[in-house]
Amino acid sequence: MKARPVLLYSALRLLAFLVPFGIMMLFEIGRQFYWLSAIFAALIGLSLSLLFLRRPLDEVSMGIAERRAAARAAASDEAAEDAAADALPGPGEAGTGSPQDDRRA
């Protein structure tokens, strides 16, 4: 997954909150009740991101999905079992580690 879509989406979401919050802080009522300004800015930022940030969100989501699919394919149980079975020596091969081999040596 590339970092560019994640950084772009995060920066745009942050701007969608900070711009309305800054505008509300210009008014006297916004400075007195800063917590109310923060709540309204969060609601405005959420609304703006749902309306205008669909494409960056889709890019980030696709990147996460591809990364998880690659991790699942790499760490499958079947591949680990096959690798372990291939590493074991077969019957009749030297170094089987059987007790009979130990008695002969």
Side-chain angles (χ1 to χ4, degrees):
M1 182 174 80
K2 297 179 183 176
R4 187 181 182 282
V6 174
L7 292 175
L8 177 68
Y9 181 70
S10 299
L12 291 174
R13 284 290 307 258
L14 193 59
L15 279 174
F17 170 76
L18 289 177
V19 170
F21 184 69
I23 291 171
M24 283 189 260
M25 291 303 285
L26 293 174
F27 300 110
E28 182 67 31
I29 192 79
R31 284 187 294 244
Q32 287 179 347
F33 298 106
Y34 62 90
W35 55 272
L36 193 58
S37 295
I39 291 172
F40 282 131
L43 291 173
I44 292 169
L46 177 67
S47 300
L48 289 174
S49 69
L50 288 175
L51 291 173
F52 299 112
L53 299 181
R54 176 62 59 194
R55 184 176 298 148
L57 177 61
D58 288 342
E59 290 175 10
V60 171
S61 299
M62 289 298 289
I64 291 171
E66 290 171 0
R67 190 173 185 180
R68 290 190 66 184
R72 282 186 184 153
S76 71
D77 288 338
E78 294 171 1
E81 289 174 2
D82 291 342
D86 291 340
L88 294 175
E93 292 182 17
T96 58
S98 67
Q100 294 174 354
D101 291 339
D102 292 338
R103 286 187 225 145
R104 291 182 190 162

